[in-house]
Amino acid sequence: MPQDYNSLLNSVNFQNPSWDAFIFFFWAIVAVIYSFSAGRGRIISILVAVYMSELLVIQAPFLSTAVGDQFGLALYLGRLTTFLVLFAFFFLVLSKFVFRTSVENRRWGSWVFSLIFAVLQVGFLISVILSFLPPEVKTTFAPLVKFVFISETANFVWLLLPIAFLVFVGRHISDHRLE
């Protein structure tokens, strides 16, 4: 089994970056910046926006078809565009009216919580976006990217990880200790 993991790690060339390496760099950089700049309210509103957008794209395929037909896009681009538009809409609505953000007086536990949650959430977002790509594009990625973000198992795990983290870790951290 360790040989399999080594071959997965070696499948991405970080010396001569490609889209595969870019995905991992993007994941790391965005997660760190995001964790330090967003408050818990904003992080939760983004997570809810991603779930709601993905659900609508999957359960209401006529939305993607309508967007694709309106702008002359292929089905996968219609899905991706619909997801991104819905995501932006839900994020703006939820951030403005539902969840509050606070980055003042954060303590160490809050930064650790935010960093781990941001890594999980950005990973979930990458998995969702890559899932909307056509199969012929998905096959061009390195095995590590496929294993971490594109496989059906990875999609399911990324779907559950942020919520599981909130349920198991979030309930042990009181609001008084985080803010």
Side-chain angles (χ1 to χ4, degrees):
M1 193 60 96
Q3 182 64 19
D4 293 335
Y5 291 123
N6 286 335
S7 65
L8 280 176
L9 286 173
N10 292 332
S11 70
V12 177
N13 184 357
F14 291 102
Q15 307 300 331
N16 186 14
S18 64
W19 277 106
D20 303 311
F22 173 76
I23 289 171
F24 288 105
F25 289 135
F26 176 81
W27 183 27
I29 292 168
V30 169
V32 170
I33 292 170
Y34 177 58
S35 70
F36 289 110
S37 65
R40 282 179 302 147
R42 180 151 304 165
I43 288 173
I44 291 173
S45 67
I46 287 175
L47 180 65
V48 171
V50 170
Y51 280 114
M52 291 170 62
S53 302
E54 182 182 29
L55 181 66
L56 280 173
V57 169
I58 291 170
Q59 295 299 321
F62 59 87
L63 291 174
S64 300
T65 304
V67 169
D69 291 345
Q70 179 70 27
F71 297 104
L73 302 173
L75 181 59
Y76 78 94
L77 283 175
R79 287 180 182 154
L80 186 57
T81 303
T82 303
F83 170 78
L84 293 173
V85 168
L86 288 171
F87 171 72
F89 171 76
F90 287 131
F91 172 68
L92 291 173
V93 169
L94 293 173
S95 293
K96 188 169 185 173
F97 299 112
V98 180
F99 300 105
R100 288 187 357 224
T101 301
S102 174
V103 293
E104 300 172 5
N105 300 324
R106 288 177 139 196
R107 294 194 178 145
W108 176 247
S110 175
W111 291 111
V112 172
F113 176 86
S114 294
L115 180 61
I116 294 169
F117 192 56
V119 166
L120 295 176
Q121 189 173 349
V122 172
F124 174 53
L125 184 60
I126 290 169
S127 175
V128 169
I129 290 172
L130 293 178
S131 74
F132 292 128
L133 295 177
E136 57 271 7
V137 173
K138 291 179 190 179
T139 60
T140 63
F141 288 106
L144 182 61
V145 174
K146 291 177 191 174
F147 177 76
V148 174
F149 294 112
I150 298 177
S151 70
E152 287 184 25
T153 303
N155 288 335
F156 180 72
V157 168
W158 282 117
L159 181 72
L160 292 181
L161 277 176
I163 295 297
F165 181 76
L166 282 178
V167 169
F168 293 117
V169 176
R171 66 186 171 117
H172 296 293
I173 302 173
S174 72
D175 287 350
H176 296 77
R177 287 190 290 176
L178 284 177
E179 295 186 318

